[in-house]
Amino acid sequence: MAFAVSVQSHFSIKPSLGNDFKILSPRTFSSRLKSRPDSFYLRSKELTLSAPNPGLVTRHRRKFQVRVGAGGEFADGGEVADSVASDEPESFSWSSVILPFVFPALGGLLFGYDIGATSGATLSLQSPALSGTTWFNFSPVQLGLVVSGSLYGALLGSTLVYGIADFLGRRRELIIAAVLYLLGSLITGCAPDLNVLLVGRLLYGLGIGLAMHGAPLYIAETCPSQIRGTLISLKELFIVLGILLGFSVGSFQIDVVGGWRYMYGFGTPVALLMGLGMWSLPPSPRWLLLRAVQGKGALQEYKEKAMLALSKLRGRPKGDKLSEKLVDDALLSVQAAYEDEKSGGNFLEVFQGPNLKALTIGGGLVLFQQITGQPSVLYYAGSILQTAGFSAAADATRVSVIIGVFKLLMTWVAVAKVDDLGRRPLLIGGVSGIALSLFLLSAYYKFLGGFPLVAVGALLLYVGCYQISFGPISWLMVSEIFPLRTRGRGISLAVLTNFGSNAIVTFAFSPLKEYLGAENLFLLFGAIALVSLLFVILVVPETKGLSLEEIESKILK
């Protein structure tokens, strides 16, 4: 016996021999399809079929495979699922998706670049011979403000954009981010004194906050669904490439008087390229449809704009039938998502019941990600290496480049193995390595000062273990663990926790190092790493192989 049931012309249900099935309410059925848009199985669940003759609906031993066509392309990065245009994946050319990916991804590259460049710039800024200024003698607090200034800007930017993102749209948000990057780079590179330098760092950080919010949304909403996961993962890789680029520029400019100006100023042409590129791209079609659903303009007008934008993104003729079909289907999805969002409860819901458990897991991971010293190790890598025996600034920055290359390689390892090995094994192994590396750094400063390779090895161990654990997996689990109803608010709180703790730890590193001594500071970070390991073992669940609705039902409840 074989049959197919159409649901709003979007889904088909095809049975094959297998386990019992029951009846799903339409609301539950819709929720499951939203949370797992590509393909998933419903086992031992209930499916309600309406029929003129109730006797036609009987129970059979079957396993239903619910397959959603992959042609949709207006997902919102996690809160709602794709629309569906057909049962077959959308055909596209890679050349048509490169630019809509690359220009937003440059926002991530510039974030990573700031991390890498700051490592070398702090050495140059504090050098009487190389700074080219009369104000090179920073106090620990002033140095902390220079290093963490962009992070405070990112925290402020993330807070501001929460309320205006839908008004701006993804494209305009990224154009504004590029302008802020450009101004921040120019002002920082030309700063005549410390105060102006700090203003430039704050502006650059505002760009980071907007770019880190807008880039994944624009990519997710404009790329074909069958390559969405790949492209969003590559966007994260751009951050690591930016760190490597920052280390490399710092290595080349470290012996130049005033080299820190070039290190920070190098972001200017990249920001200009990002801004011009985003200006040439159309708005996100899904955002245009969202504005129509929100009543911000005539529905037909916004539909035509969305069809034009999609045709331009895919390199197809204006008004082609495929784009029209995709937009019509996407409109239904956006309307359903908007209705769900309006009935999504109040803000405090994220602090209650299963949502609180999800917030504890996700928020705890991104908090421990930062307070185990990660931002300090990267931002101050050059300084750490200099005190570890590489007294020449050029030597320290060259070793930083090696660390950047190693970080990039380990990121690939994590991407390749996270679905094979699972989240918990990589977290437990990686955090254990982080704790060991921090204790090694403490031991180096305490009694192994004659062995500089210990410091280099400890830094490599730290970076490698971070990249297979806290680095990618924290954000992967944040995107998985929150229930659909509160996913948007939960992820926003996780982002704010991340930038806030990052800024505090980065600022506090230099004063704490001065007050406690490097050996005791890394000992403190090591102790926090052990606490985070205990948190992972006792609190963090394994989500490998589970659908989003299974995570919600089996883990959170």
Side-chain angles (χ1 to χ4, degrees):
M1 172 182 175
F3 62 93
V5 180
S6 295
V7 182
Q8 294 181 348
S9 300
H10 291 297
F11 317 110
S12 62
I13 306 176
K14 300 177 182 178
S16 59
L17 293 176
N19 299 332
D20 287 339
F21 72 90
K22 297 182 181 179
I23 305 288
L24 277 181
S25 69
R27 181 179 182 87
T28 304
F29 184 68
S30 173
S31 173
R32 294 187 179 205
L33 287 170
K34 285 180 184 179
S35 60
R36 193 71 178 268
D38 295 326
S39 177
F40 67 93
Y41 289 88
L42 300 178
R43 296 182 177 88
S44 300
K45 302 298 179 185
E46 294 194 337
L47 173 65
T48 298
L49 301 178
S50 299
N53 182 357
L56 294 175
V57 182
T58 58
R59 298 176 67 85
H60 302 272
R61 295 184 62 81
R62 291 287 188 268
K63 178 172 67 178
F64 278 75
Q65 181 184 16
V66 180
R67 182 173 179 78
V68 180
E73 38 203 288
F74 307 120
D76 67 351
E79 283 190 67
V80 297
D82 304 330
S83 63
V84 181
S86 67
D87 289 334
E88 298 298 327
E90 179 196 358
S91 60
F92 67 93
S93 64
W94 277 97
S95 60
S96 69
V97 300
I98 289 176
L99 295 183
F101 161 74
V102 167
F103 291 129
L106 288 177
L109 184 140
L110 284 167
F111 174 36
Y113 178 78
D114 181 67
I115 296 173
T118 297
S119 176
T122 52
L123 296 179
S124 178
L125 269 167
Q126 297 178 94
S127 170
L130 298 176
S131 70
T133 70
T134 58
W135 38 278
F136 57 84
N137 191 20
F138 293 162
S139 69
V141 171
Q142 289 173 328
L143 179 60
L145 286 174
V146 170
V147 175
S148 63
S150 62
L151 295 174
Y152 287 113
L155 179 62
L156 178 60
S158 300
T159 305
L160 292 175
V161 81
Y162 181 78
I164 61 173
D166 280 346
F167 168 74
L168 291 176
R170 307 358 172 173
R171 174 177 173 267
R172 280 188 290 187
E173 187 177 348
L174 288 168
I175 291 173
I176 294 172
V179 171
L180 290 168
Y181 274 140
L182 181 69
L183 290 174
S185 297
L186 282 174
I187 293 173
T188 305
C190 301
D193 56 46
L194 178 61
N195 292 330
V196 176
L197 177 67
L198 293 177
V199 170
R201 299 289 290 144
L202 185 69
L203 286 174
Y204 194 97
L206 285 171
I208 292 174
L210 268 66
M212 290 299 96
H213 182 271
L217 285 177
Y218 189 88
I219 294 170
E221 292 180 4
T222 59
C223 72
S225 61
Q226 60 264 44
I227 60 169
R228 180 173 293 118
T230 299
L231 292 184
I232 292 178
S233 297
L234 286 175
K235 192 273 298 179
E236 297 302 318
L237 190 67
F238 263 56
I239 297 176
V240 180
L241 284 172
I243 293 173
L244 177 58
L245 181 62
F247 282 151
S248 300
V249 173
S251 174
F252 284 115
Q253 296 295 324
I254 193 62
D255 288 328
V256 177
V257 175
W260 61 272
R261 297 186 184 276
Y262 299 102
M263 296 177 202
Y264 281 134
F266 185 81
T268 303
V270 183
L272 181 62
L273 178 63
M274 175 187 170
L276 293 175
M278 289 307 306
W279 188 271
S280 69
L281 293 175
S284 157
R286 187 187 184 281
W287 175 76
L288 291 169
L289 295 176
L290 178 63
R291 298 299 282 172
V293 170
Q294 291 173 335
K296 303 301 181 181
L299 176 62
Q300 188 58 36
E301 179 185 351
Y302 273 108
K303 277 185 63 178
E304 290 175 359
K305 288 181 179 179
M307 285 187 284
L308 180 63
L310 184 56
S311 298
K312 184 175 181 180
L313 285 165
R314 295 292 179 271
R316 293 194 285 255
K318 179 181 177 181
D320 67 292
K321 294 297 182 183
L322 179 56
S323 295
E324 183 178 355
K325 172 65 174 173
L326 287 167
V327 168
D328 285 338
D329 289 337
L331 182 58
L332 295 175
S333 177
V334 172
Q335 287 172 331
Y338 184 64
E339 290 303 315
D340 285 348
E341 185 178 303
K342 287 198 299 184
S343 61
N346 57 55
F347 180 80
L348 293 178
E349 186 180 13
V350 76
F351 299 102
Q352 300 168 358
N355 301 297
L356 178 59
K357 184 175 181 180
L359 183 61
T360 301
I361 296 169
L365 282 173
V366 295
L367 177 65
F368 281 119
Q369 180 192 60
Q370 301 303 321
I371 64 175
T372 49
Q374 182 269 152
S376 302
V377 170
L378 289 179
Y379 278 107
Y380 292 97
S383 300
I384 293 171
L385 290 168
Q386 204 171 32
T387 59
F390 298 89
S391 55
D395 292 337
T397 54
R398 289 188 186 107
V399 177
S400 294
V401 173
I402 296 174
I403 291 174
V405 173
F406 184 65
K407 183 179 179 71
L408 184 65
L409 292 175
M410 294 306 292
T411 303
W412 278 112
V413 172
V415 170
K417 292 299 181 183
V418 67
D419 284 326
D420 293 335
L421 298 177
R423 284 64 160 149
R424 275 175 56 86
L426 287 175
L427 278 172
I428 291 171
V431 176
S432 299
I434 287 174
L436 175 61
S437 67
L438 290 168
F439 288 134
L440 281 175
L441 281 172
S442 176
Y444 171 79
Y445 281 105
K446 212 169 190 67
F447 48 79
L448 295 177
F451 303 93
L453 289 180
V454 171
V456 177
L459 282 175
L460 289 173
L461 178 62
Y462 184 99
V463 167
C465 289
Y466 178 84
Q467 286 308 126
I468 64 170
S469 58
F470 276 146
I473 295 177
S474 294
W475 290 110
L476 172 60
M477 293 203 68
V478 163
S479 69
E480 294 177 326
I481 200 68
F482 287 100
L484 180 67
R485 185 180 177 93
T486 57
R487 189 167 299 146
R489 294 189 293 272
I491 292 175
S492 295
L493 287 175
V495 170
L496 291 174
T497 300
N498 178 266
F499 276 128
S501 55
N502 192 332
I504 292 171
V505 172
T506 303
F507 167 76
F509 181 84
S510 185
L512 284 176
K513 185 180 175 184
E514 183 81 9
Y515 179 72
L516 297 175
E519 65 277 13
N520 293 323
L521 179 56
F522 284 114
L523 189 63
L524 174 63
F525 282 143
I528 296 173
L530 290 180
V531 174
S532 68
L533 178 61
L534 193 63
F535 172 82
V536 170
I537 293 172
L538 297 179
V539 178
V540 178
E542 179 58 74
T543 58
K544 169 190 169 185
L546 296 177
S547 67
L548 299 183
E549 69 277 359
E550 286 173 331
I551 292 173
E552 184 173 349
S553 63
K554 294 181 178 180
I555 293 176
L556 299 182
K557 296 180 180 178

